[in-house]
Structure formats: C-alpha cells, structure tokens
Amino acid sequence: MSVTELLRPRPARRLDKRPRRLRASAALRGLVREHDVRVASLVQPLFVAAEGQPKGPIASMPGIERYSVQAVTGEARALREIGIGAVLLFGIPDFKDAVASSNDDPHGVVQRAIGSLKRDVPEMLVIADLCNCEYTDHGHCGILDAQGDVDNDATLELLGRTALSYAEAGVDVIAPSDMMDGRVGYLRETLDAAGHAAIPIMSYAVKFASAFYGPFRDAADSAPQFGDRRTYQMDPPNGREAVREALLDIDEGADIVIVKPALAYMDLIRAVSEVSEVPVACYSVSGEYAMVKAAAQNGWIDEERIVDEMLLGFRRAGADIVITYFAKQYAAAALRA
Ligand code: PBG
C-alpha cells in the first residue's frame, strides 16, 4: 500500500481504551487526580541577619528578604496566618573566623531568632539549618586541616556544640547541611546525652556540589573563598551513592532525609523515597527559584502554573515535604483559589 493510500481518511479503529475519557471535565480530572500539594507539607526558608548586616531584598531572589531578629517573628506570623506550618532558619552573623566561633554563640543571630519565634509564634515549627559555611571567614562548611581540606571529625565537634545551643534556644528540628560523614549519629548522641532526645534531625542526606546554590551564597555571604565543596558535597553524576548516603543517615538515626537540589535530581527523590523508612523532603534551592523568577519577570513563562507543576512534580517523585522559597506565595495563591 502506498503512503497516500495509507493516509486516506477511513473509519477510526475500534478503541476499548480511551484515556481521554477521564479528562473530559474538571470534575472528572479532579476525581482521578493522583497527587496534590498540601500547604502543610511546605517549608519556607528564612534568612535572619545580625544587627550590622544588610537587611531587605536579595537581588537574585526577588520576593525573598533578609530579616532582623525582630522582623522575623512578624514574617513568621504572616506565614502562619496563610497556613505555612514550618520555617527553616539561616543565619547571617556579624562575625566570621576560621573556626566558626560565632556559630554556637548562645546569643547568636539564629539562637535569638529561635527564642523570639518560639515565644511570639509558638505554633510555628522552627527548623534550624546547621552548618558552618555562613560563620567561617574562608566560607567552607567546617574546620580546615593543614592541606586546606575540611577536617571531618574536628567539624563534628563544632556541629555538636552549635546543635546544643539551638536546642537550648528551643528549636523544634535540627537540619545539618554540611555533608560531614557520621554527623547524624554524632548529633543524635550529643543531643540525647544533653536531654534533647525529642528533637528530630532532618538531615541533608543527599546534597550535591551544585551551581544551583549560587543566589543563596550571595544572600548568606557564604561562598567559599577558595576551591569548592566537592570534597564533601556529592558529585552530581552519582545516583547509587545518593541512596547510600540516605540509608547511612537513616541508620544513624535521621528522622527525615532531604534530597537537594530538587529539580535536576527528581530521579533521586524517587529512588530515596522508595527505600526510605522515614519521610523524604526535597529542597528546591535558590537557583531553581531565581530561574523561575527571572523568566517570569521577562514575561516568558506563567509563573503560577510553573510553580504548581514544579511542586506537584516533587510530590509525584516521592517527596513528602517540599522546602521551597515559593512556599509563601503558593500558600497565598491556594487561599485565593
Ligand atoms: C549551607 C547551605 C547551603 C544551602 C542550604 N544550606 C549552601 C551551600 O551548601 O553552599 C543552599 C540553599 C539554596 O541554594 O537555596 N551549607
């Protein structure tokens, strides 16, 4: 048969299976929808800056601000009112040195923010990111050894001290993001020994050495002053290793594991969620936010629909919890809908 003959109009073949049947109306589509985004499973990251540090908007993250300790409680209250149940705190201290001395300061910016948040907005779950990179003058996530590489075991001690200071300040959840080996077990032991057995550890178990953190490092002034983070954060091509990292942290007692970044690592959200016995979070990071904002500001994409699709995609991939700079705007839009 010639191609022309083949393409001649003819009666449609009988079809038993017509997936379009279930797409015919909004009601039908709503009935068979497999996944949704719950505002209660979103986490809003918040930057808290010490007295002498710049506050206000961050150029590469339109809509995101650095708050003072006083102002952060107002923002948390506004978030709570639109249904956001959890915030993730990042501190920008006044003082940096080689050994991150300002990180475990009981009067440090994060410790004070935790205190006032738990006093003024007690229903808001306060998660504190635990890392040294915002507190070291060299910008690396731990103490350096003689070769200039991060000393794993010396860094653990530092993390332990800071975790205790967060616990004493009243934090709800601690989220170590440094990627040192063994930190979850170390922190669990340290917290338990100090009477903080009830504080969950939400571990950045799978965190890649990624260019997607660019805008964050501007916001938190935490870019490494030399080299990069490839000796501690994961190598982007590795998927099997991501599962290993997640299982190790779960084994050490992690209560929640995070995959980060999210958008370019959806396969690993899926892989980890399939083997994890604890809830899985993904962190849609600053670069993901900045890309969407930049394209939307140019009128190139429909921002609200793009955000819906991204968040849904994370849920479909297997994320129970989504950490995203879009949390506030998504919750506000959900209220309007
Ligand atoms: C701290 C930390 C980083 C991010 C979260 N915690 C920066 C980094 O590892 O360089 C990135 C968050 C984002 O890009 O939104 N170590």
Side-chain angles (χ1 to χ4, degrees), residues 165-179:
S165 74
Y166 289 170
E168 298 301 332
V171 81
D172 292 306
V173 178
I174 290 178
S177 67
D178 52 288
M179 287 302 279

Side-chain angles (χ1 to χ4, degrees), residues 45 47 61 88-90 129-134 139-141 175-179 204 207-217 220 222-224 229 232-233 260-261 283-289 323 325:
F47 296 99
M61 301 178 73
L88 173 60
L89 295 185
F90 292 96
D129 183 273
L130 173 62
C131 194
N132 290 300
C133 62
E134 298 110 286
H140 280 286
C141 299
S177 67
D178 52 288
M179 287 302 279
Y204 291 77
K207 179 176 177 181
F208 286 92
S210 170
F212 280 98
Y213 308 147
F216 173 97
R217 291 181 187 173
S222 64
R229 304 207 202 289
Y232 40 106
Q233 296 180 346
K260 171 187 177 181
Y283 192 152
S284 182
V285 299
S286 55
E288 301 175 37
Y289 180 83
I323 307 168
Y325 299 94

